[in-house]
Amino acid sequence: NRINDLGSVALGTSFLNVKSLNLNNCNISTFQTIASIGAAIPHLEELCVAHCDLADIESFDSSSENSDEENRLEGLFQNLVLLDLSNCQLTSWQRHIMKFRNLPR
């Protein structure tokens, strides 16, 4: 499909009731897009973004310390129970996967 990164697009309240979102094989190439989805869809329970290049997650912090609001995961995905990051160029447990350690579920 032709979905790309959201950039600075404001999603508003249009997606507040979405519980499941599958964006596998999209052209998403920045983790900022994933963070924007988390902020715009607070009730999201399942997010699939397999086969997207999210290696830039290194620039994101999992807590509020030493990071600006735009580059942190804290407070996002409060209801997420399934996150599919298969084949997303996440190759380091410490630099990539540990960013998700503070997700609430």
Side-chain angles (χ1 to χ4, degrees):
N1 67 46
R2 296 179 187 264
I3 294 175
N4 288 331
D5 294 306
L6 295 175
S8 62
V9 173
L11 296 177
T13 59
S14 301
F15 300 99
L16 288 179
N17 295 319
V18 172
K19 302 268 188 213
S20 181
L21 184 61
N22 187 326
L23 296 173
N24 290 343
N25 294 303
C26 289
N27 293 324
I28 295 172
S29 62
T30 68
F31 196 79
Q32 179 59 50
T33 296
I34 305 305
S36 295
I37 290 168
I41 310 176
H43 299 100
L44 195 62
E45 295 176 2
E46 298 179 358
L47 177 60
C48 300
V49 289
H51 307 283
C52 296
D53 183 1
L54 302 178
D56 74 327
I57 192 172
E58 289 184 48
S59 65
F60 280 78
D61 197 337
S62 59
S63 69
S64 60
E65 295 177 23
N66 302 319
S67 67
D68 56 30
E69 187 156 329
E70 184 174 281
N71 287 326
R72 82 174 105 136
L73 293 172
E74 183 180 284
L76 301 177
F77 303 112
Q78 294 297 303
N79 296 299
L80 201 65
V81 293
L82 182 140
L83 178 60
D84 182 359
L85 296 170
S86 304
N87 298 308
C88 284
Q89 310 305 318
L90 304 180
T91 58
S92 168
W93 188 265
Q94 191 64 38
R95 291 188 335 255
H96 298 146
I97 306 304
M98 290 300 288
K99 299 287 185 174
F100 299 99
R101 69 183 175 270
N102 292 328
L103 288 178
R105 292 184 169 210

